[in-house]
Amino acid sequence: MPCGEDWLSHPLGIVQGFFAQNGVNPDWEKKVIEYFKEKLKENNAPKWVPSLNEVPLHYLKPNSFVKFRCMIQDMFDPEFYMGVYETVNRNTKARVLHFGKYRDVAECGPQQEVDLNSPRTTTLERQTFYCVPVPGESVWSFLNLLFNAYVNANQARVSPSTSYTPSRHKRSYEDDEDMDLQPNKQKDQHAGARQTGGVGGLQWCGEPKRLETEASTGQQLNSLNLSSPFDLNFPLPGEKGPACLVKVYEDWDCFKVNDVFELYGILSVDPVLSIVNNDERDASSLLDPMECTDTAEEQRVHSPPASLVPRIHVVLAQKLQHINPLLPACLNKEESKTFVSSFMSELSPVRAELLGFLTHALLGDSLAAEYLILHLISTVYTRRDVLPLGKFTVNLSGCPRNSTFTEHLYRIIQHLVPASFRLQMTIENMNHLKFIPHKDYTANRLVSGLLQLPSNTSLVIDETLLEQGQLDAPGVHNVTALSNLITWQKVDYDFSYHQMEFPCNINVLITSEGRSLLPADCQIHLQPQLIPPNMEEYMNSLLSAVLPSVLNKFRVYLTLLRFLDYSISDEITKAVEDDFVEMRKNDPQSITADDLHQLLIIARFLSLSAGQTTLSRERWLRAKQLESLRRTRLQQQKCVNGNEL
């Protein structure tokens, strides 16, 4: 059995070793999973595994062990494959048993052919998911991962194969560099057996023969152009990175659309997969007979060129709580407790520095900075019936119109959170952009929309750009979708004949001049203490003045506090109830049940922002004080501007 670094460069050799030892006994599959699980427990082993997020595809060896951090964009139909199959040597009649797991193309040596009628052939099922890089991932988050990859995994990079050089759009390592896609003609010399045919999702080949493939003949591919030959179906415009077809063999019920995973598996980029997608008539014999009823459009979408959409056969998968590379991947594990307790011990100065930083970003408004911190650490912690508890959408009104303030404020937020998106709320965008994912039954796929986002994404809606105009039907539907997202933390995907509800957990910040047209849990009116003559210069100097180490502490702070447990003691619960009754007694109109709920939410996140996992009397009074200041400010603004709130 191969050993040493072979598990990275030749994982199928490892699998072959276990299969040879155990034959058709299903225990070999469990042993394979256990082997790679133990390998990844070794010191820094996950960092040595090359990542499709960080290493261009043409640097990765076909059939090597790779990882991919991604969001599940769509789930395709299950596919059948040959779990075990037998080949026969045409000359000697010798028979060899092979495994089909983790393969797209059946292994078949010279003078060998697959015996389709062998009683030892077994047909199994696997699930295919279409996965994309995490939408809206911040540059700092990606660069942190990239830095770790280059420092820890230089040996994981391999030289381009001389026999196969797939073309793909290469992810730029420069923040502002455009994606460059160049079609290449590729030739691949196959020395294996060459009888063309296919059964159960596996293709194979017979006599030696030269195959010539072109991933994109004479055409420029650009994932940002929706009219391209193959739309990579990214939810957000301007996204970069590879999309992958992910084949899952175990526990695929745990994989849900919009979940984020770190996948470890075997990379498959065999050119035969590209041929299946070509319009050449002689390629039709490669298709599974069961798939021949598929439409041409469905075939094109479900079998894209492997040079553009590689395949990953998953060996191990981990659902991610978050995508912040500065924190342990799983905060619930015992080994993460040291990190958490160490950071919590220095939480107070971090909060103070963050408050000062955001106060400067909000032009000297410390009250707005307090509410922005609470917003950035808010999260839906549970659902009671249809009500999502913990959501805290903030409407920051009073933002100067015809100014770059909101754009630069978003840049500040981008530097703090792992994933975000700024929606410019113009009439044109509302009428023409696709917000809601919908089912394309011709291609049998889920076409993504702007609101197909993973949990804990920060969505900044810039309403200061909204001018007078007419919303058409799609625009009205988009406004409704935003309202439902904010109010119920759900998006209703359009399946033509019905709508399917997808719960979400998206932090929404609305910047506006007056009160927002959209619902919000809290409106805070900005009161600038200074107006910089040059907003861009002011914000740039603010960012450059913060040490990278301090900025990283802000990033850890805002991610970590979302996952802390929180409780209210019986004593404090009784005190809050008595306080509520007293406030109602003094002025029945001053506070409602909804106001109490908001006070409790503010008190919750105020406590967590200070590192306290239980509500204290002090934090409750501070929450009431903040709300009183906020309401007073709104009343003052109402007196100035009449009813504009």
Side-chain angles (χ1 to χ4, degrees):
M1 183 184 301
C3 58
E5 69 275 2
D6 282 340
W7 70 279
L8 284 177
S9 56
H10 300 290
L12 288 177
I14 301 292
V15 179
Q16 175 61 40
F18 284 108
F19 178 75
Q21 287 178 0
N22 296 270
V24 294
N25 188 328
D27 284 348
W28 73 270
E29 300 180 57
K30 296 177 183 177
K31 291 179 180 178
V32 168
I33 294 171
E34 197 59 38
Y35 173 87
F36 284 101
K37 192 179 293 184
E38 291 301 316
K39 278 292 181 183
L40 289 174
K41 288 180 182 177
E42 295 177 4
N43 189 32
N44 280 334
K47 295 179 180 178
W48 286 95
V49 180
S51 170
L52 272 171
N53 301 94
E54 298 144 10
V55 183
L57 183 60
H58 64 278
Y59 275 102
L60 296 172
K61 182 179 178 182
N63 297 321
S64 60
F65 195 72
V66 298
K67 63 183 177 182
F68 185 41
R69 189 182 62 262
C70 59
M71 183 190 82
I72 298 175
Q73 191 277 322
D74 194 7
M75 179 175 68
F76 291 167
D77 293 332
E79 67 179 29
F80 295 101
Y81 71 100
M82 292 188 296
V84 176
Y85 62 96
E86 198 169 33
T87 59
V88 182
N89 188 294
R90 287 194 293 268
N91 297 328
T92 65
K93 303 303 180 184
R95 291 179 170 270
V96 180
L97 205 60
H98 303 265
F99 66 93
K101 193 175 184 180
Y102 308 126
R103 297 182 187 276
D104 284 302
V105 179
E107 182 184 39
C108 196
Q111 305 302 319
Q112 287 185 333
E113 60 183 16
V114 175
D115 182 2
L116 301 179
N117 298 316
S118 170
R120 306 178 74 181
T121 299
T122 60
T123 302
L124 300 175
E125 189 180 39
R126 60 191 176 198
Q127 181 65 59
T128 303
F129 296 91
Y130 188 83
C131 298
V132 297
V134 180
E137 183 174 19
S138 299
V139 173
W140 66 263
S141 177
F142 172 74
L143 290 181
N144 265 284
L145 288 162
L146 187 60
F147 176 77
N148 288 335
Y150 277 108
V151 169
N152 297 291
N154 281 331
Q155 292 184 2
R157 277 186 149 210
V158 298
S159 299
S161 168
T162 56
S163 61
Y164 178 51
T165 309
S167 77
R168 73 183 283 265
H169 60 285
K170 301 166 187 171
R171 182 167 192 165
S172 166
Y173 297 112
E174 294 300 323
D175 180 9
D176 54 355
E177 184 177 328
D178 290 335
M179 184 162 35
D180 179 23
L181 295 179
Q182 296 184 356
N184 292 322
K185 286 189 177 183
Q186 300 124 28
K187 295 184 179 180
D188 185 64
Q189 191 120 23
H190 286 253
R194 294 274 69 108
Q195 171 191 327
T196 55
V199 166
L202 282 177
Q203 287 83 42
W204 67 89
C205 329
E207 292 296 302
K209 148 181 170 183
R210 182 182 299 270
L211 295 179
E212 188 171 293
T213 67
E214 293 189 29
S216 54
T217 307
Q219 296 176 352
Q220 282 290 105
L221 293 183
N222 192 322
S223 66
L224 310 186
N225 178 6
L226 298 183
S227 62
S228 65
F230 187 79
D231 173 19
L232 292 177
N233 209 16
F234 293 140
L236 300 179
E239 291 287 284
K240 302 176 183 180
C244 289
L245 283 178
V246 171
K247 312 287 180 87
V248 180
Y249 295 85
E250 290 91 16
D251 301 324
W252 58 69
D253 288 343
C254 300
F255 288 67
K256 306 294 183 186
V257 170
N258 302 336
D259 282 350
V260 175
F261 278 85
E262 184 91 79
L263 304 174
Y264 293 86
I266 297 169
L267 177 67
S268 175
V269 287
D270 198 288
V272 170
L273 301 173
S274 300
I275 295 175
V276 171
N277 189 60
N278 286 347
D279 292 331
E280 299 170 14
R281 292 183 180 180
D282 61 348
S284 61
S285 61
L286 290 170
L287 292 174
D288 186 329
M290 297 181 67
E291 296 176 353
C292 290
T293 57
D294 295 347
T295 65
E297 180 65 15
E298 182 174 350
Q299 249 176 55
R300 188 182 71 87
V301 167
H302 288 244
S303 300
S307 55
L308 186 62
V309 183
R311 280 63 162 165
I312 296 179
H313 295 265
V314 175
V315 178
L316 296 168
Q318 179 185 10
K319 183 179 177 181
L320 297 182
Q321 283 184 300
H322 61 85
I323 61 166
N324 190 332
L326 302 173
L327 279 77
C330 185
L331 295 168
N332 300 329
K333 289 185 177 179
E334 194 67 34
E335 53 266 30
S336 301
K337 290 184 178 179
T338 304
F339 174 89
V340 173
S341 59
S342 173
F343 187 83
M344 294 296 287
S345 66
E346 56 181 45
L347 200 71
S348 183
V350 173
R351 188 193 193 282
E353 285 186 275
L354 177 59
L355 180 62
F357 176 70
L358 291 178
T359 298
H360 286 297
L362 292 167
L363 309 180
D365 190 341
S366 59
L367 181 62
E370 285 277 9
Y371 276 90
L372 185 55
I373 288 178
L374 303 186
H375 162 76
L376 290 174
I377 65 171
S378 65
T379 186
V380 176
Y381 59 88
T382 190
R383 291 179 186 265
R384 186 168 298 160
D385 296 325
V386 296
L387 185 66
L389 301 182
K391 73 181 183 71
F392 191 57
T393 297
V394 170
N395 172 206
L396 182 66
S397 59
C399 295
R401 193 176 180 83
N402 302 320
S403 167
T404 58
F405 169 73
T406 53
E407 178 185 347
H408 291 295
L409 177 62
Y410 172 66
R411 279 186 55 220
I412 296 288
I413 293 174
Q414 264 189 314
H415 278 80
L416 297 175
V417 299
S420 61
F421 179 66
R422 175 177 174 239
L423 173 60
Q424 300 179 55
M425 196 173 175
T426 64
I427 293 293
E428 182 180 2
N429 283 345
M430 298 306 292
N431 284 338
H432 294 102
L433 291 179
K434 301 292 185 184
F435 282 30
I436 300 175
H438 69 276
K439 181 74 171 184
D440 179 350
Y441 286 95
T442 303
N444 192 21
R445 72 163 174 175
L446 182 67
V447 179
S448 62
L450 290 181
L451 298 185
Q452 187 174 10
L453 299 171
S455 289
N456 300 319
T457 301
S458 287
L459 175 62
V460 178
I461 302 174
D462 191 351
E463 209 175 283
T464 63
L465 302 172
L466 192 61
E467 296 180 344
Q468 287 187 346
Q470 184 69 39
L471 282 177
D472 56 22
V476 172
H477 289 152
N478 284 337
V479 171
T480 302
L482 285 176
S483 298
N484 287 337
L485 167 66
I486 292 168
T487 305
W488 307 111
Q489 283 293 311
K490 70 182 181 72
V491 180
D492 295 322
Y493 289 16
D494 182 7
F495 281 75
S496 294
Y497 310 106
H498 67 283
Q499 290 187 328
M500 186 175 292
E501 184 178 296
F502 281 75
C504 57
N505 186 4
I506 308 298
N507 283 37
V508 183
L509 174 67
I510 308 166
T511 57
S512 61
E513 187 180 18
R515 183 175 183 174
S516 172
L517 301 175
L518 298 168
D521 298 305
C522 173
Q523 181 192 356
I524 175 74
H525 196 82
L526 185 69
Q527 282 190 350
Q529 304 302 304
L530 59 102
I531 303 294
N534 187 320
M535 189 67 71
E536 182 175 5
E537 187 178 305
Y538 174 80
M539 291 295 192
N540 286 341
S541 63
L542 177 60
L543 278 171
S544 60
V546 183
L547 292 173
S549 58
V550 174
L551 206 52
N552 281 342
K553 287 181 179 180
F554 294 166
R555 293 160 176 166
V556 172
Y557 173 92
L558 293 175
T559 301
L560 179 61
L561 297 187
R562 291 169 177 261
F563 298 99
L564 295 182
D565 292 326
Y566 175 82
S567 61
I568 304 178
S569 66
D570 293 340
E571 179 185 354
I572 295 297
T573 300
K574 181 68 166 59
V576 168
E577 290 173 352
D578 293 343
D579 208 2
F580 176 66
V581 170
E582 195 66 30
M583 286 187 286
R584 291 277 294 172
K585 187 184 297 182
N586 295 335
D587 184 0
Q589 304 301 318
S590 65
I591 186 168
T592 65
D594 288 339
D595 294 330
L596 175 63
H597 172 73
Q598 177 159 313
L599 264 176
L600 287 170
I601 290 293
I602 291 171
R604 175 191 182 93
F605 294 124
L606 196 60
S607 300
L608 291 175
S609 73
Q612 299 176 0
T613 56
T614 58
L615 179 60
S616 64
R617 181 72 179 169
E618 177 190 1
R619 294 296 161 191
W620 171 250
L621 294 175
R622 176 59 176 160
K624 288 173 61 180
Q625 181 189 25
L626 287 178
E627 275 295 88
S628 176
L629 291 171
R630 183 184 69 84
R631 288 170 179 269
T632 300
R633 180 181 292 188
L634 287 176
Q635 287 299 322
Q636 290 172 348
Q637 192 64 27
K638 184 177 181 180
C639 293
V640 173
N641 293 339
N643 292 325
E644 190 185 332
L645 285 176

